[in-house]
Amino acid sequence: MCAISGIVNTHGANYRGIVDSMLAVQKHRGPDDSGVFECPDAVFGHNRLSVIDIAGGHQPMLSNNRRLVVVLNGEIYNFADLRTKMIAAGHQFATESDTETLIHLYESYGSECVNFLDGMFAFAIYDTAKRKLLLGRDRLGQKPLYYFMDGDSLVFASELRGLQQHPQCPQTLDKNALNNFMSLQYIPQPDTSFNNIRKLPPGYILEQHLNNNQISIRCYWQADFSIKNSTLTMDSATAELRRLVEKAVEKRLVSEVPIGTFLSGGVDSCIVTGITAKLMYPAPCDAFTAAFSVSEYDERDAAKRSAEIINKVTGGNLRHHEREIRPDDFELVENLFAHFGEPFADASALPLYLLSKFAREKITVALCGDGADEIFAGYERYLAMRYAEKVYFMPKAARKLIFNSIASLFPNHGERSKSGRVRRLLKLFADPEEVGYFNLLDRCPAAIKKELYGPALREVVDRDSSECFTSMNWELIARDRVEKLGELDLRTYLPGDILTKADIASMANALELRSPFLDRDVVEFASRLPMKYKLSAKRRKYILCAAFPEFITPELLKRPKRGFGVPVSAWLRGSWKEQAYRKLFESRLTGDGFIKANALQKYWNLHQKGYDFGYLLWDLLILAMFLERNPQSR
């Protein structure tokens, strides 16, 4: 893992000092080494976390003829096979690094080189002879890449804070992006919180030709849900899935530094940890668990039981480490969420950061279970949507009246409570089917926005945030209604929330996080499976659990899915109360007219009385901190 930075321009300006500043603010991502390349058209910078070819993998890396320069963030898992083929074709390698493989692929295939890569990556290649830049991002969005144009210059970096070292970095707020954040707790790609700063979407490349300053952006990959292996039996599919997942884990064990896993009480991390321990045997495998003092969020007992099962199956080489963490440190909140560079309110980033910090004491690379929920229909909301299909025969007006009336009978004791889950399901039954899924996720409905938004957000108060989902309907190709939602999550929630959180929380501790379920072969195989293999009448991730019966015991299947949440609602009434109040009411949030103080006071008071507006207040707290860090933004 690393950080990349660069400025490419058509007029030969000297940007070395700016790139040095970009390196400085991203050093946490790559504390082991750094380097800079300069030529008349470009300056590239690189911070390195050394994992493969520690001695020879210095970047920026040049081709043998010094015509090409490359910076890479991430890992190319199939680099050894690609290297063998390139050598057979006459290429001469000077290092053992996966980065050099990218250079030789580009020499042979140009921008099509990205199609050969199996890994997680964001890279930049500059051809000094053709004056051509190529930016590329991995298929699922595991590694970030931000950029903006300044006249005839293109500026890119791994983090928004890197871009902000450029004096011309845009500071005008994208109000609609902030509006979407209030609903989703993240800003969907390709938008950012600033106008004219963009995220390169997953599975895309960007090419810039400096001779005519032409820029093109195109998609090179997306999962294809339209073709199904309808003749594949469940037994055959289960066997093949097992083979692919085991192979994906094995690919991700290539490392010259200590490697381990994250282990929660759930299915995904148990499978990854079990396979890892089996493949590493008899060498020890370290697994790390975060424990909480709040029992409803604590999975230590479940993780301990999973570790016992894994050791029984694999021979006893799993070393399980657990630590109780306290993510309610308010200073931690401010410091961690500054890394995101824009409003981001998935509070589980707090425990993930502390778990990464704990694991980094012993390892440099960790394997995790990210991605399984999206590709194998693991979220409870998918099952809820399947139930909702059964009432769509009713007229919309009747559904709205009946199910909203029933929902009002259940108290709002929080999303994790039984009454809260029932309320959400009934609200889903009442909603129009075209926006039901968005409303299920919406943390700040339109009616509340109209109460809260002040003059600074007046222009977007009537904007419908569900458009960021519904506008993609024409692009989605899955035929099954619920599978289409998984495809949507694969293109929005996974890269925008889950993988952004994983990247920032781990890299803030210089820990590399690898996700076997996001292996290209696994994702493409899963997308071709009939939906009934993934989501049965009552079971989620049906085929994934069936593929690893030695790890996924009946005991594990009975455990409720908890996720990696934190009790934000309670903290806003307790340990965070005074500091959060000051941030909300004594900052730009209310002072500059983004949010009306009197409306905010209403929801604050209701929350303190026991009503649950934790998500809403948390979103606003994150927005307040973002505005405080960007005093010039308007």
Side-chain angles (χ1 to χ4, degrees), residues 72 75-93 95-109 112-121 123 139 251 520:
L72 168 70
E75 303 289 352
I76 299 172
Y77 298 125
N78 63 337
F79 80 95
D81 290 340
L82 293 172
R83 175 190 174 91
T84 299
K85 293 175 182 177
M86 291 288 98
I87 291 174
H91 291 262
Q92 295 183 339
F93 282 72
T95 75
E96 300 294 326
S97 170
D98 56 343
T99 305
E100 188 177 4
T101 305
L102 186 54
I103 290 176
H104 293 284
L105 281 173
Y106 185 84
E107 287 177 329
S108 293
Y109 302 104
E112 298 303 314
C113 67
V114 71
N115 294 305
F116 297 88
L117 303 178
D118 177 7
M120 54 176 184
F121 52 81
F123 67 80
R139 293 169 177 80
K251 282 190 253 182
R520 175 186 181 179

Short mmCIF file of all heavy atoms in Angstrom, two decimals, residues 72 75-93 95-109 112-121 123 139 251 520:
data_model
loop_
_atom_site.label_atom_id
_atom_site.label_comp_id
_atom_site.label_asym_id
_atom_site.label_seq_id
_atom_site.Cartn_x
_atom_site.Cartn_y
_atom_site.Cartn_z
N LEU A 72 2.37 3.43 -8.36
CA LEU A 72 1.32 2.45 -8.11
C LEU A 72 0.98 2.42 -6.63
O LEU A 72 1.88 2.35 -5.78
CB LEU A 72 1.79 1.05 -8.57
CG LEU A 72 0.92 -0.14 -8.13
CD1 LEU A 72 -0.41 -0.12 -8.87
CD2 LEU A 72 1.67 -1.46 -8.39
N GLU A 75 -1.70 -3.59 -4.87
CA GLU A 75 -1.00 -4.83 -5.17
C GLU A 75 -1.54 -5.44 -6.45
O GLU A 75 -2.76 -5.43 -6.68
CB GLU A 75 -1.19 -5.85 -4.03
CG GLU A 75 -0.76 -5.38 -2.66
CD GLU A 75 0.75 -5.27 -2.50
OE1 GLU A 75 1.49 -5.70 -3.40
OE2 GLU A 75 1.18 -4.75 -1.46
N ILE A 76 -0.65 -5.98 -7.27
CA ILE A 76 -1.03 -6.75 -8.45
C ILE A 76 -0.76 -8.21 -8.11
O ILE A 76 0.40 -8.64 -8.06
CB ILE A 76 -0.25 -6.31 -9.70
CG1 ILE A 76 -0.54 -4.83 -9.98
CG2 ILE A 76 -0.62 -7.16 -10.90
CD1 ILE A 76 0.31 -4.23 -11.08
N TYR A 77 -1.80 -8.99 -7.86
CA TYR A 77 -1.63 -10.33 -7.33
C TYR A 77 -1.10 -11.33 -8.36
O TYR A 77 -0.44 -12.31 -8.01
CB TYR A 77 -2.96 -10.85 -6.77
CG TYR A 77 -3.49 -10.01 -5.63
CD1 TYR A 77 -4.76 -9.45 -5.68
CD2 TYR A 77 -2.71 -9.75 -4.50
CE1 TYR A 77 -5.24 -8.67 -4.64
CE2 TYR A 77 -3.18 -8.98 -3.46
CZ TYR A 77 -4.45 -8.43 -3.53
OH TYR A 77 -4.92 -7.66 -2.51
N ASN A 78 -1.36 -11.08 -9.62
CA ASN A 78 -0.89 -12.01 -10.64
C ASN A 78 0.40 -11.54 -11.31
O ASN A 78 0.71 -11.93 -12.44
CB ASN A 78 -1.96 -12.22 -11.71
CG ASN A 78 -2.32 -10.95 -12.47
OD1 ASN A 78 -2.11 -9.85 -11.97
ND2 ASN A 78 -2.84 -11.11 -13.68
N PHE A 79 1.16 -10.72 -10.60
CA PHE A 79 2.36 -10.14 -11.23
C PHE A 79 3.39 -11.20 -11.61
O PHE A 79 4.11 -11.06 -12.60
CB PHE A 79 2.99 -9.07 -10.33
CG PHE A 79 3.83 -9.59 -9.20
CD1 PHE A 79 5.21 -9.70 -9.33
CD2 PHE A 79 3.25 -9.98 -8.00
CE1 PHE A 79 6.00 -10.17 -8.29
CE2 PHE A 79 4.02 -10.44 -6.96
CZ PHE A 79 5.40 -10.55 -7.09
N ALA A 80 3.48 -12.29 -10.82
CA ALA A 80 4.48 -13.33 -11.12
C ALA A 80 4.18 -14.01 -12.46
O ALA A 80 5.08 -14.24 -13.27
CB ALA A 80 4.54 -14.34 -9.99
N ASP A 81 2.91 -14.34 -12.69
CA ASP A 81 2.53 -14.95 -13.96
C ASP A 81 2.73 -13.98 -15.11
O ASP A 81 3.22 -14.36 -16.20
CB ASP A 81 1.06 -15.39 -13.92
CG ASP A 81 0.83 -16.57 -12.99
OD1 ASP A 81 1.80 -17.28 -12.67
OD2 ASP A 81 -0.34 -16.77 -12.58
N LEU A 82 2.36 -12.73 -14.91
CA LEU A 82 2.55 -11.72 -15.96
C LEU A 82 4.03 -11.52 -16.25
O LEU A 82 4.44 -11.39 -17.42
CB LEU A 82 1.92 -10.40 -15.54
CG LEU A 82 0.40 -10.38 -15.41
CD1 LEU A 82 -0.07 -9.05 -14.80
CD2 LEU A 82 -0.26 -10.59 -16.77
N ARG A 83 4.83 -11.53 -15.22
CA ARG A 83 6.27 -11.37 -15.38
C ARG A 83 6.86 -12.49 -16.24
O ARG A 83 7.65 -12.23 -17.16
CB ARG A 83 6.92 -11.35 -14.00
CG ARG A 83 8.44 -11.30 -14.00
CD ARG A 83 8.95 -11.54 -12.58
NE ARG A 83 10.40 -11.64 -12.55
CZ ARG A 83 11.23 -10.61 -12.37
NH1 ARG A 83 10.73 -9.41 -12.20
NH2 ARG A 83 12.53 -10.78 -12.35
N THR A 84 6.43 -13.72 -15.96
CA THR A 84 6.93 -14.87 -16.73
C THR A 84 6.58 -14.72 -18.21
O THR A 84 7.42 -14.96 -19.10
CB THR A 84 6.32 -16.17 -16.17
OG1 THR A 84 6.72 -16.33 -14.81
CG2 THR A 84 6.78 -17.37 -16.97
N LYS A 85 5.36 -14.30 -18.50
CA LYS A 85 4.93 -14.13 -19.89
C LYS A 85 5.69 -12.98 -20.56
O LYS A 85 6.06 -13.07 -21.74
CB LYS A 85 3.43 -13.88 -19.94
CG LYS A 85 2.59 -15.08 -19.50
CD LYS A 85 1.11 -14.74 -19.45
CE LYS A 85 0.31 -15.95 -18.97
NZ LYS A 85 -1.14 -15.65 -18.84
N MET A 86 5.93 -11.92 -19.82
CA MET A 86 6.66 -10.78 -20.40
C MET A 86 8.11 -11.14 -20.70
O MET A 86 8.66 -10.75 -21.73
CB MET A 86 6.60 -9.59 -19.44
CG MET A 86 5.24 -8.94 -19.27
SD MET A 86 4.71 -7.97 -20.72
CE MET A 86 3.65 -9.19 -21.52
N ILE A 87 8.73 -11.90 -19.81
CA ILE A 87 10.11 -12.33 -20.05
C ILE A 87 10.18 -13.22 -21.27
O ILE A 87 11.09 -13.10 -22.12
CB ILE A 87 10.67 -13.05 -18.80
CG1 ILE A 87 10.86 -12.04 -17.66
CG2 ILE A 87 11.98 -13.76 -19.11
CD1 ILE A 87 11.28 -12.66 -16.34
N ALA A 88 9.19 -14.12 -21.40
CA ALA A 88 9.14 -15.01 -22.57
C ALA A 88 8.98 -14.21 -23.86
O ALA A 88 9.43 -14.64 -24.93
CB ALA A 88 8.00 -16.01 -22.42
N ALA A 89 8.36 -13.04 -23.75
CA ALA A 89 8.16 -12.19 -24.92
C ALA A 89 9.35 -11.26 -25.19
O ALA A 89 9.32 -10.46 -26.12
CB ALA A 89 6.89 -11.36 -24.75
N GLY A 90 10.40 -11.36 -24.34
CA GLY A 90 11.62 -10.60 -24.58
C GLY A 90 11.85 -9.41 -23.67
O GLY A 90 12.84 -8.71 -23.82
N HIS A 91 10.97 -9.18 -22.70
CA HIS A 91 11.16 -8.06 -21.78
C HIS A 91 12.22 -8.40 -20.73
O HIS A 91 12.30 -9.54 -20.26
CB HIS A 91 9.83 -7.72 -21.09
CG HIS A 91 8.81 -7.13 -22.01
ND1 HIS A 91 8.58 -5.78 -22.11
CD2 HIS A 91 7.95 -7.71 -22.90
CE1 HIS A 91 7.63 -5.54 -23.00
NE2 HIS A 91 7.23 -6.71 -23.49
N GLN A 92 12.97 -7.40 -20.36
CA GLN A 92 14.02 -7.58 -19.35
C GLN A 92 13.64 -6.81 -18.08
O GLN A 92 13.39 -5.61 -18.13
CB GLN A 92 15.37 -7.08 -19.88
CG GLN A 92 15.88 -7.89 -21.06
CD GLN A 92 17.25 -7.41 -21.53
OE1 GLN A 92 17.64 -6.27 -21.25
NE2 GLN A 92 17.98 -8.27 -22.22
N PHE A 93 13.60 -7.55 -16.96
CA PHE A 93 13.20 -6.97 -15.68
C PHE A 93 14.43 -6.65 -14.83
O PHE A 93 15.41 -7.40 -14.81
CB PHE A 93 12.30 -7.94 -14.92
CG PHE A 93 10.88 -7.96 -15.41
CD1 PHE A 93 10.55 -8.55 -16.63
CD2 PHE A 93 9.85 -7.40 -14.66
CE1 PHE A 93 9.25 -8.57 -17.10
CE2 PHE A 93 8.55 -7.42 -15.11
CZ PHE A 93 8.24 -8.01 -16.34
N THR A 95 13.84 -5.63 -11.42
CA THR A 95 13.44 -5.81 -10.02
C THR A 95 12.50 -7.01 -9.91
O THR A 95 12.12 -7.61 -10.92
CB THR A 95 12.70 -4.56 -9.47
OG1 THR A 95 11.37 -4.52 -10.01
CG2 THR A 95 13.44 -3.28 -9.83
N GLU A 96 12.11 -7.33 -8.68
CA GLU A 96 11.11 -8.36 -8.41
C GLU A 96 9.76 -7.73 -8.07
O GLU A 96 8.84 -8.41 -7.60
CB GLU A 96 11.57 -9.24 -7.24
CG GLU A 96 12.89 -9.95 -7.47
CD GLU A 96 12.80 -10.99 -8.57
OE1 GLU A 96 11.72 -11.62 -8.70
OE2 GLU A 96 13.78 -11.17 -9.32
N SER A 97 9.60 -6.46 -8.31
CA SER A 97 8.42 -5.72 -7.89
C SER A 97 7.24 -5.93 -8.84
O SER A 97 7.41 -6.05 -10.06
CB SER A 97 8.75 -4.22 -7.82
OG SER A 97 7.60 -3.45 -7.64
N ASP A 98 6.02 -5.93 -8.26
CA ASP A 98 4.83 -6.00 -9.10
C ASP A 98 4.66 -4.72 -9.91
O ASP A 98 4.05 -4.74 -10.99
CB ASP A 98 3.58 -6.28 -8.26
CG ASP A 98 3.34 -5.28 -7.15
OD1 ASP A 98 4.28 -4.54 -6.78
OD2 ASP A 98 2.21 -5.23 -6.61
N THR A 99 5.21 -3.63 -9.44
CA THR A 99 5.10 -2.35 -10.15
C THR A 99 5.77 -2.41 -11.51
O THR A 99 5.24 -1.89 -12.51
CB THR A 99 5.72 -1.21 -9.32
OG1 THR A 99 5.12 -1.18 -8.04
CG2 THR A 99 5.55 0.12 -10.00
N GLU A 100 6.92 -3.07 -11.58
CA GLU A 100 7.63 -3.13 -12.86
C GLU A 100 6.83 -3.90 -13.91
O GLU A 100 6.92 -3.62 -15.11
CB GLU A 100 9.01 -3.76 -12.68
CG GLU A 100 9.84 -3.66 -13.95
CD GLU A 100 11.26 -4.21 -13.82
OE1 GLU A 100 11.58 -4.74 -12.73
OE2 GLU A 100 12.03 -4.12 -14.79
N THR A 101 6.03 -4.88 -13.47
CA THR A 101 5.18 -5.62 -14.39
C THR A 101 4.25 -4.67 -15.15
O THR A 101 4.01 -4.84 -16.34
CB THR A 101 4.34 -6.66 -13.62
OG1 THR A 101 5.19 -7.48 -12.86
CG2 THR A 101 3.52 -7.51 -14.58
N LEU A 102 3.76 -3.67 -14.45
CA LEU A 102 2.86 -2.70 -15.06
C LEU A 102 3.55 -1.94 -16.19
O LEU A 102 2.96 -1.68 -17.25
CB LEU A 102 2.34 -1.74 -13.99
CG LEU A 102 1.28 -0.72 -14.36
CD1 LEU A 102 0.07 -1.39 -15.00
CD2 LEU A 102 0.86 0.06 -13.13
N ILE A 103 4.82 -1.61 -16.00
CA ILE A 103 5.57 -0.90 -17.04
C ILE A 103 5.65 -1.73 -18.31
O ILE A 103 5.38 -1.24 -19.42
CB ILE A 103 6.99 -0.55 -16.54
CG1 ILE A 103 6.92 0.52 -15.46
CG2 ILE A 103 7.87 -0.10 -17.69
CD1 ILE A 103 8.27 0.85 -14.85
N HIS A 104 6.03 -3.00 -18.16
CA HIS A 104 6.21 -3.86 -19.34
C HIS A 104 4.88 -4.16 -20.02
O HIS A 104 4.82 -4.27 -21.26
CB HIS A 104 6.94 -5.14 -18.95
CG HIS A 104 8.36 -4.90 -18.53
ND1 HIS A 104 9.37 -4.65 -19.43
CD2 HIS A 104 8.93 -4.85 -17.30
CE1 HIS A 104 10.52 -4.47 -18.78
NE2 HIS A 104 10.26 -4.59 -17.47
N LEU A 105 3.81 -4.30 -19.25
CA LEU A 105 2.50 -4.48 -19.86
C LEU A 105 2.12 -3.27 -20.69
O LEU A 105 1.57 -3.39 -21.79
CB LEU A 105 1.45 -4.71 -18.77
CG LEU A 105 1.35 -6.11 -18.16
CD1 LEU A 105 0.38 -6.09 -16.99
CD2 LEU A 105 0.89 -7.14 -19.20
N TYR A 106 2.39 -2.08 -20.17
CA TYR A 106 2.05 -0.87 -20.90
C TYR A 106 2.88 -0.77 -22.19
O TYR A 106 2.36 -0.32 -23.23
CB TYR A 106 2.30 0.36 -20.03
CG TYR A 106 1.86 1.65 -20.69
CD1 TYR A 106 0.54 2.07 -20.63
CD2 TYR A 106 2.78 2.44 -21.37
CE1 TYR A 106 0.15 3.25 -21.24
CE2 TYR A 106 2.39 3.61 -21.99
CZ TYR A 106 1.07 4.01 -21.93
OH TYR A 106 0.68 5.17 -22.55
N GLU A 107 4.14 -1.18 -22.12
CA GLU A 107 4.97 -1.15 -23.33
C GLU A 107 4.38 -2.02 -24.43
O GLU A 107 4.48 -1.70 -25.62
CB GLU A 107 6.39 -1.62 -23.00
CG GLU A 107 7.20 -0.61 -22.20
CD GLU A 107 8.57 -1.13 -21.82
OE1 GLU A 107 8.73 -2.37 -21.62
OE2 GLU A 107 9.51 -0.31 -21.71
N SER A 108 3.73 -3.13 -24.04
CA SER A 108 3.18 -4.06 -25.03
C SER A 108 1.75 -3.74 -25.43
O SER A 108 1.37 -3.93 -26.59
CB SER A 108 3.22 -5.50 -24.48
OG SER A 108 4.55 -5.94 -24.34
N TYR A 109 0.95 -3.26 -24.48
CA TYR A 109 -0.49 -3.14 -24.73
C TYR A 109 -1.06 -1.74 -24.55
O TYR A 109 -2.26 -1.54 -24.75
CB TYR A 109 -1.25 -4.11 -23.80
CG TYR A 109 -0.83 -5.55 -23.96
CD1 TYR A 109 -0.01 -6.16 -23.01
CD2 TYR A 109 -1.24 -6.29 -25.07
CE1 TYR A 109 0.38 -7.48 -23.15
CE2 TYR A 109 -0.85 -7.61 -25.22
CZ TYR A 109 -0.04 -8.20 -24.25
OH TYR A 109 0.35 -9.51 -24.41
N GLU A 112 -4.61 -0.73 -22.74
CA GLU A 112 -5.28 -2.02 -22.53
C GLU A 112 -4.58 -2.88 -21.49
O GLU A 112 -5.09 -3.94 -21.11
CB GLU A 112 -5.37 -2.79 -23.86
CG GLU A 112 -6.18 -2.09 -24.93
CD GLU A 112 -7.60 -1.79 -24.50
OE1 GLU A 112 -8.24 -2.69 -23.93
OE2 GLU A 112 -8.05 -0.63 -24.69
N CYS A 113 -3.44 -2.43 -21.01
CA CYS A 113 -2.71 -3.20 -20.00
C CYS A 113 -3.56 -3.46 -18.76
O CYS A 113 -3.38 -4.46 -18.07
CB CYS A 113 -1.42 -2.47 -19.59
SG CYS A 113 -1.68 -0.90 -18.70
N VAL A 114 -4.49 -2.56 -18.48
CA VAL A 114 -5.29 -2.68 -17.27
C VAL A 114 -6.14 -3.94 -17.28
O VAL A 114 -6.48 -4.49 -16.22
CB VAL A 114 -6.17 -1.41 -17.12
CG1 VAL A 114 -7.27 -1.36 -18.15
CG2 VAL A 114 -6.72 -1.29 -15.72
N ASN A 115 -6.48 -4.45 -18.46
CA ASN A 115 -7.30 -5.65 -18.56
C ASN A 115 -6.59 -6.90 -18.06
O ASN A 115 -7.24 -7.90 -17.73
CB ASN A 115 -7.75 -5.87 -20.00
CG ASN A 115 -8.69 -4.77 -20.49
OD1 ASN A 115 -9.71 -4.50 -19.87
ND2 ASN A 115 -8.32 -4.12 -21.59
N PHE A 116 -5.27 -6.86 -18.00
CA PHE A 116 -4.50 -8.03 -17.57
C PHE A 116 -4.27 -8.06 -16.06
O PHE A 116 -3.81 -9.06 -15.53
CB PHE A 116 -3.13 -8.05 -18.27
CG PHE A 116 -3.21 -8.18 -19.77
CD1 PHE A 116 -3.33 -7.06 -20.58
CD2 PHE A 116 -3.17 -9.43 -20.37
CE1 PHE A 116 -3.40 -7.18 -21.95
CE2 PHE A 116 -3.23 -9.57 -21.75
CZ PHE A 116 -3.36 -8.44 -22.54
N LEU A 117 -4.59 -6.98 -15.39
CA LEU A 117 -4.24 -6.85 -13.97
C LEU A 117 -5.28 -7.51 -13.07
O LEU A 117 -6.48 -7.28 -13.21
CB LEU A 117 -4.10 -5.38 -13.59
CG LEU A 117 -3.09 -4.56 -14.40
CD1 LEU A 117 -3.10 -3.11 -13.93
CD2 LEU A 117 -1.70 -5.16 -14.28
N ASP A 118 -4.79 -8.30 -12.14
CA ASP A 118 -5.62 -8.91 -11.11
C ASP A 118 -5.14 -8.36 -9.77
O ASP A 118 -4.07 -8.73 -9.31
CB ASP A 118 -5.49 -10.43 -11.16
CG ASP A 118 -6.28 -11.13 -10.06
OD1 ASP A 118 -7.05 -10.45 -9.34
OD2 ASP A 118 -6.12 -12.36 -9.90
N GLY A 119 -5.91 -7.45 -9.18
CA GLY A 119 -5.44 -6.89 -7.93
C GLY A 119 -6.27 -5.72 -7.47
O GLY A 119 -7.38 -5.48 -7.95
N MET A 120 -5.74 -5.01 -6.51
CA MET A 120 -6.35 -3.76 -6.04
C MET A 120 -5.31 -2.68 -6.31
O MET A 120 -4.16 -2.80 -5.90
CB MET A 120 -6.70 -3.85 -4.56
CG MET A 120 -5.57 -4.23 -3.63
SD MET A 120 -6.10 -4.19 -1.91
CE MET A 120 -4.55 -4.57 -1.08
N PHE A 121 -5.71 -1.62 -7.01
CA PHE A 121 -4.69 -0.68 -7.46
C PHE A 121 -5.29 0.64 -7.88
O PHE A 121 -6.45 0.76 -8.25
CB PHE A 121 -3.91 -1.26 -8.64
CG PHE A 121 -4.78 -1.75 -9.77
CD1 PHE A 121 -5.31 -0.87 -10.70
CD2 PHE A 121 -5.09 -3.10 -9.90
CE1 PHE A 121 -6.11 -1.32 -11.74
CE2 PHE A 121 -5.89 -3.56 -10.93
CZ PHE A 121 -6.40 -2.67 -11.86
N PHE A 123 -3.15 3.67 -10.22
CA PHE A 123 -1.82 3.92 -10.77
C PHE A 123 -1.85 5.10 -11.74
O PHE A 123 -2.91 5.51 -12.23
CB PHE A 123 -1.26 2.68 -11.47
CG PHE A 123 -1.99 2.28 -12.73
CD1 PHE A 123 -1.76 2.93 -13.93
CD2 PHE A 123 -2.91 1.24 -12.71
CE1 PHE A 123 -2.43 2.57 -15.10
CE2 PHE A 123 -3.59 0.87 -13.86
CZ PHE A 123 -3.35 1.54 -15.06
N ARG A 139 -11.03 -2.73 -10.34
CA ARG A 139 -12.39 -3.01 -10.79
C ARG A 139 -13.48 -2.69 -9.76
O ARG A 139 -14.58 -2.31 -10.12
CB ARG A 139 -12.49 -4.47 -11.22
CG ARG A 139 -11.67 -4.78 -12.45
CD ARG A 139 -11.56 -6.27 -12.72
NE ARG A 139 -10.82 -6.54 -13.94
CZ ARG A 139 -9.50 -6.52 -14.03
NH1 ARG A 139 -8.76 -6.27 -12.95
NH2 ARG A 139 -8.90 -6.76 -15.18
N LYS A 251 -3.71 -16.15 -3.21
CA LYS A 251 -3.08 -15.05 -3.94
C LYS A 251 -2.70 -13.90 -3.01
O LYS A 251 -1.69 -13.23 -3.21
CB LYS A 251 -4.02 -14.51 -5.03
CG LYS A 251 -4.11 -15.33 -6.28
CD LYS A 251 -4.88 -14.55 -7.32
CE LYS A 251 -6.24 -15.09 -7.54
NZ LYS A 251 -6.98 -14.35 -8.59
N ARG A 520 -11.40 -10.79 -8.68
CA ARG A 520 -12.14 -10.68 -9.95
C ARG A 520 -12.86 -11.98 -10.30
O ARG A 520 -14.05 -11.96 -10.68
CB ARG A 520 -11.18 -10.30 -11.07
CG ARG A 520 -11.82 -10.28 -12.46
CD ARG A 520 -10.79 -10.02 -13.54
NE ARG A 520 -11.40 -9.98 -14.86
CZ ARG A 520 -10.73 -9.74 -15.99
NH1 ARG A 520 -9.43 -9.53 -15.94
NH2 ARG A 520 -11.35 -9.72 -17.14
#
